Amino acid sequence: MGLHVLGVNASARTDGFTAELLDEVLEAARRKGATTERLDLVRHPFPLCAGNYSVDPASCGPETCVQGPWDGFGKVAERILSADAVVFATPVYWFSVSSRMKALLERMTSMENQGLLNLGKPMALLAVAEEEGATQALAQMLLPLSYMGFVLAPLGLVYAHRKHLTALKESPEVLEDARIAGENLVLMAERLRGTSFQEPLPSYLYRAPASRAAGD
């Protein structure tokens, strides 16, 4: 069975620069033999995280989330879980990721708290800024997703500054970066597929009483 690469677009627009950059990466992945899919978060709204982890960590999980299980987020989560690799793409709003991307990362706590459900899954990260802040947005995605078990593909960080551009195709450097990220993502997914990685105890157990953590 071939590899499936999911692209997550966290922009308010489905035809903006962020979607355009994401499509370039997905096209490169297709040329390497993968099937691809783009998920526009604006078409799949879901409630914000209720922060239940800080109240009862054991109830923050795929089957125990107080908002569901998984409410509208479940459809997004299922597509992330079923993908062999994921491209996360965000526009930059005030030197940060979009509110949709932040909401996604927060809700994805339920996919790592009771076991790292995406452990070893390759990812690429994209950010499009008007002028500045793209690298900050990339860092804001990289750290939490790495803790969730995702693995960054070589040269899988791609950013673009759209000032003075009417289309990303006007920047050969950005297109080349997108091509390399898409191809490396598939190459890494091919090599990591089926690999078993070491995993710590679910994070909520570290905050549980000693008797509970011991299984009493």
Side-chain angles (χ1 to χ4, degrees), residues 111-169:
M111 301 165 69
E112 63 85 32
N113 179 50
Q114 296 186 13
L116 300 177
L117 303 185
N118 291 292
L119 181 62
K121 183 169 295 184
M123 68 174 176
L125 306 178
L126 318 179
V128 177
E130 179 70 20
E131 297 180 16
E132 301 295 336
T135 55
Q136 291 174 240
L138 290 174
Q140 290 164 1
M141 293 187 288
L142 177 61
L143 189 59
L145 289 169
S146 295
Y147 274 108
M148 292 179 190
F150 286 90
V151 182
L152 183 67
L155 301 177
L157 296 176
V158 181
Y159 67 89
H161 294 146
R162 66 168 298 271
K163 190 175 184 181
H164 305 311
L165 297 178
T166 58
L168 289 182
K169 288 182 171 56

Side-chain angles (χ1 to χ4, degrees), residues 201-202 204-206 208-216:
L201 286 172
Y204 78 92
L205 288 178
Y206 292 107
S211 60
R212 182 177 178 183
D216 294 343

